[in-house]
């Protein structure tokens, strides 16, 4: 965080100003520091400019204030010491019209006090120097805005992936060039990305996360209290996405000696963010806005302009990903669950959940591996429902029928027809079949579309009795029945059936051959296939 006494402008590297050929500035005294920056330009001919400086300025003077006998006394030493005391970044001395050269005593005083001294040639005006600084500031601001915008876009894209939390952390770590970690309500590391720092830094960051966590548990021993570190906790009410407020002296200060921990007085509200410096790395912790105790921590080798905004964007996204979705209130969902457990019919509790008609969505991530609970929650958020059930490699989501699902990047979706609550089990079966077909045909989203058919002319009881009789030889083998159903739905494609069932194509061939043997029929006959498909739809 910049010094509060420095003007809130993008800093300009002094080396960048010296590199401007149109200015022809020359450093003739003071330290050569590649990181020295200028925040402002100020021109003054006062013998004591201290009262007029904010800090961080390049002070320009033509030496009008210098008395004739200045070189024989302490004038220059007093003059430079006052500039340094005011926080001046550098001194620019204009050659001509008052002085032909820079006074040697001024050069010596700048060397003594470590103040960079620049020689401004006659052809370079002070206003030209000020304009150059403003141009460099504008370029820095534009670069900062471009960097923040690109980071926002990449973080938003990462949040839409099947593994949103790890993706957001990876993108954040890459943008900051450091380590990003998400802590759970109990303080455990849920996910992390980037190069993990040493144990000292990791422990300090975990302690900093404890400072901003709403329940404010006692940080681990040694965390955020390393000797020589500086800790800041911000309790000014800022939230992710707002500029980081400048804390008052009472809100932060040097860390306590080793062994003492930051205050965790439960009577005081926990700050929303905190910063620390340990082992040369900058640490920051942000309490996520969902209020469930999740904390985002980052450790970076340096703090660049725009970093706080980038981290705030990530914090907002992670707050949404880790928070409870609001398609129905938690109390209403709890009430619905209790009523179901106590024997209430589904159609009675459906209004508490948000609708009268529903669709079941079955989703599977495109990549390898099963989705975790956070990824499943993010999927529910994208579909507009908090009724999510991650089971193995498939996530089931119960969605009100008026929220028609759209294809989601990184997921393959199977969607049932819209049904009343008492038909939820049948809708789940429809969604499972739609998902299998979607995966087999490599379709991002496939909907089960009921429509009138010839089968509707047969009474359901008679159709079911006929199906049980016809399929009795294979009914005792669920794997055979499901394979036959999938194979027929995919027009006898071995490869697509294998993909849909996650088995080898030879296994599909063996099962279909077994079905043909048990049923005693020719599965190449289209009439046989049609009759079997009719029967399979009624069991």
């Amino acid at each position: 965080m910049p010094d509060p006494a420095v003007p809130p402008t993008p800093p300009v590297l002094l080396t960048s100003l010296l590199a401007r050929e149109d200015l022809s500035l020359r450093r003739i005294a003071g330290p050569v520091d590649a990181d020295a920056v200028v925040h402002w330009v100020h021109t003054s001919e006062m013998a004591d400019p201290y009262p007029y400086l904010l800090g961080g300025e390049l002070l320009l003077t033509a030496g009008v204030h210098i008395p004739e006998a200045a070189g024989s006394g302490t004038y220059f030493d007093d003059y430079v010491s006052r500039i340094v005391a005011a926080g001046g970044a550098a001194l620019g001395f204009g050659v001509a019209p008052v002085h032909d050269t820079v006074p040697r005593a001024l050069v010596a005083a700048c060397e003594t006090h470590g103040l960079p001294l620049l020689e401004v040639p006659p052809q370079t005006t002070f206003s030209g120097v000020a304009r150059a600084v403003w141009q460099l500031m504008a370029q820095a601001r534009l670069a900062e805005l471009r960097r923040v915008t690109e980071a926002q876009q990449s973080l938003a894209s990462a949040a839409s992936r099947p593994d949103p939390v790890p993706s957001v952390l990876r993108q954040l770590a890459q943008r900051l060039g450091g380590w990003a970690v998400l802590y759970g309500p109990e303080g455990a590391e849920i996910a992390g990305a980037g190069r993990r720092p040493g144990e000292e830094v990791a422990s300090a960051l975990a302690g900093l996360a404890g400072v901003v966590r709403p329940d404010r548990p006692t940080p681990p021993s040694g965390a955020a209290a390393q000797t020589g570190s500086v800790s800041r906790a911000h309790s000014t009410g800022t939230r992710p996405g707002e500029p980081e407020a400048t804390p008052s002296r009472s809100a932060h200060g040097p860390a306590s000696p080793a062994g003492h921990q930051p205050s965790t007085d439960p009577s005081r509200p926990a700050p929303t963010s905190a910063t620390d410096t340990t082992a040369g790395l900058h640490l920051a912790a942000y309490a996520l806005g969902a209020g469930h105790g999740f904390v985002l921590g980052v450790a970076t080798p340096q703090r660049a302009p725009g970093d706080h905004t980038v981290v705030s964007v990530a914090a907002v996204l992670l707050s949404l990903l880790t928070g409870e979705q609001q398609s129905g209130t938690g109390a209403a969902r709890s009430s619905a669950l209790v009523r179901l457990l106590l024997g209430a019919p589904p159609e009675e509790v459906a209004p508490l959940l948000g609708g009268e008609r529903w669709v079941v969505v079955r989703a599977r991530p495109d990549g390898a591996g099963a989705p975790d609970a956070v990824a499943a929650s993010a999927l529910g958020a994208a579909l507009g429902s908090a009724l999510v059930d991650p089971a193995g490699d498939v996530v089931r989501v119960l969605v009100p029928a008026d929220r028609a699902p759209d294809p989601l990047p990184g997921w393959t979706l199977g969607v049932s027809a819209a049904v009343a609550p008492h038909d939820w089990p049948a809708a789940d079966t429809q969604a499972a079949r739609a998902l299998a077909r979607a995966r087999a045909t490599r379709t991002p989203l496939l909907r089960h579309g009921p429509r009138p058919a010839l089968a509707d002319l047969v009474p359901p009881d008679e159709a079911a009795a006929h199906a049980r009789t016809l399929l009795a030889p294979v009914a005792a083998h669920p794997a055979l029945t499901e394979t036959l159903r999938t194979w027929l739905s995919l027009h006898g494609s071995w490869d697509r059936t294998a993909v849909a069932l996650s088995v080898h194509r030879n296994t599909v061939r063996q099962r279909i051959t077994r079905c043909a043997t048990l049923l005693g029929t020719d599965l190449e006959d289209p009439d046989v296939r049609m009759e079997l498909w009719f029967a399979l739809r009624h069991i």
Side-chain angles (χ1 to χ4, degrees):
M1 183 189 302
D3 188 323
V6 174
T9 54
V12 172
L13 287 172
L14 188 58
T15 53
S16 298
L17 194 62
L18 290 169
R20 292 280 298 247
E21 296 182 356
D22 57 324
L23 299 179
S24 300
L25 302 178
R26 185 168 64 95
R27 187 201 307 265
I28 58 177
V32 179
D33 183 2
D35 296 327
V37 295
V38 172
H39 290 268
W40 209 261
V41 176
H42 180 66
T43 301
S44 174
E45 297 298 340
M46 302 292 294
D48 181 11
Y50 181 94
Y52 308 97
L53 300 180
L54 293 174
E57 295 95 343
L58 167 60
L59 179 63
L60 300 176
T61 179
V64 176
H65 58 87
I66 300 175
E68 294 184 1
S72 59
T74 62
Y75 180 85
F76 288 113
D77 188 76
D78 295 339
Y79 176 70
V80 173
S81 65
R82 293 290 283 173
I83 297 175
V84 173
L91 176 64
F93 193 90
V95 176
V98 181
H99 297 269
D100 294 332
T101 59
V102 180
R104 293 183 180 180
L106 178 59
V107 175
C110 287
E111 285 286 357
T112 301
H113 292 278
L115 179 68
L117 177 61
L118 311 183
E119 180 186 76
V120 183
Q123 69 272 17
T124 301
T125 62
F126 287 177
S127 60
V129 175
R131 181 177 59 185
V133 170
W134 277 111
Q135 289 174 346
L136 291 172
M137 285 182 176
Q139 294 172 8
R141 176 66 74 187
L142 180 61
E144 177 185 337
L145 293 176
R146 183 181 294 112
R147 173 174 175 263
V148 169
T149 301
E150 292 174 352
Q152 289 175 333
Q153 294 173 346
S154 62
L155 288 169
S157 177
S160 66
R161 294 179 57 84
D163 55 343
V165 170
S167 296
V168 169
L169 292 176
R170 282 195 299 269
Q171 193 61 235
L172 179 61
Q174 178 182 344
R175 293 287 172 176
L176 300 182
W179 184 49
V181 58
L182 177 66
Y183 296 101
E186 303 301 325
E189 293 182 15
I190 294 179
R195 184 175 181 180
R196 183 183 178 90
E199 190 58 34
E200 176 188 5
V201 175
S203 178
L205 187 56
L208 205 62
V211 173
V212 301
R213 190 171 291 111
D215 54 1
R216 304 185 72 177
T218 301
S221 177
Q226 306 297 333
T227 302
S229 67
V230 177
S231 176
R232 292 179 172 87
H234 310 297
S235 55
T236 55
T238 59
R239 291 290 184 269
E242 298 179 0
E244 190 170 15
T246 300
S248 64
R249 291 185 181 271
S250 61
H252 66 84
S256 304
H260 294 276
Q261 306 300 334
S263 172
T264 56
D265 182 1
S267 65
R268 298 179 58 191
T272 58
S273 64
T275 60
D276 192 9
T277 301
T278 300
L281 292 179
H282 300 279
L283 313 182
Y286 296 78
L288 300 187
H292 301 306
F294 291 92
V295 176
L296 170 63
V298 293
T300 57
Q302 59 184 2
R303 285 200 184 108
D307 279 359
H308 176 70
T309 303
V310 173
V311 179
S312 296
V313 171
V316 170
L317 292 173
L318 292 172
S319 295
L320 296 174
L321 294 172
T322 57
E324 187 176 10
Q325 303 307 317
Q326 301 302 319
S327 60
T329 65
R333 287 195 297 275
S334 177
S335 176
L337 175 60
V338 170
R339 293 189 189 186
L340 283 173
L341 292 175
L342 295 180
E347 51 269 24
E348 179 182 315
V349 303
L352 294 174
L353 299 174
E356 297 289 345
R357 294 184 64 79
W358 300 78
V359 296
V360 175
V361 178
R362 282 202 173 220
R364 186 165 176 171
D366 293 342
D372 57 24
V374 176
S377 177
L379 173 66
L383 295 175
S385 175
L387 304 174
V388 180
D389 174 33
D393 57 357
V394 173
V395 179
R396 299 187 300 176
V397 187
L398 194 58
V399 182
D402 58 351
R403 302 171 188 169
D406 293 320
L408 295 176
W411 293 91
T412 300
L413 307 180
V415 184
S416 74
V419 298
H422 64 272
D423 287 328
W424 282 343
D428 186 36
T429 301
Q430 294 174 358
R433 294 173 183 171
L435 175 61
R437 186 171 178 82
R439 294 187 66 243
T441 57
R442 293 179 172 82
T443 304
L445 184 148
L446 193 65
R447 304 177 191 274
H448 177 87
R451 60 184 183 277
L454 291 175
D456 297 330
L457 300 177
V458 181
D461 293 343
E462 294 182 15
H466 173 75
R468 287 193 298 269
T469 302
L470 180 62
L471 298 172
V474 297
H477 308 282
L480 295 182
T481 304
E482 187 61 27
T483 301
L484 180 60
R485 184 198 314 277
T486 305
W487 183 72
L488 290 173
S489 72
L490 296 172
H491 310 292
S493 171
W494 308 107
D495 292 330
R496 289 184 175 183
T497 304
V499 171
L501 298 176
S502 299
V503 298
H504 194 276
R505 65 195 306 270
N506 289 341
T507 301
V508 175
R509 287 182 178 275
Q510 293 170 2
R511 291 179 181 177
I512 295 301
T513 301
R514 179 67 173 159
C515 288
T517 301
L518 292 174
L519 294 171
T521 189
D522 180 12
L523 295 181
E524 297 298 325
D525 187 332
D527 289 334
V528 172
R529 291 192 182 191
M530 181 180 66
E531 186 176 9
L532 289 174
W533 180 249
F534 171 86
L536 286 166
R537 293 187 60 189
H538 290 83
I539 63 168

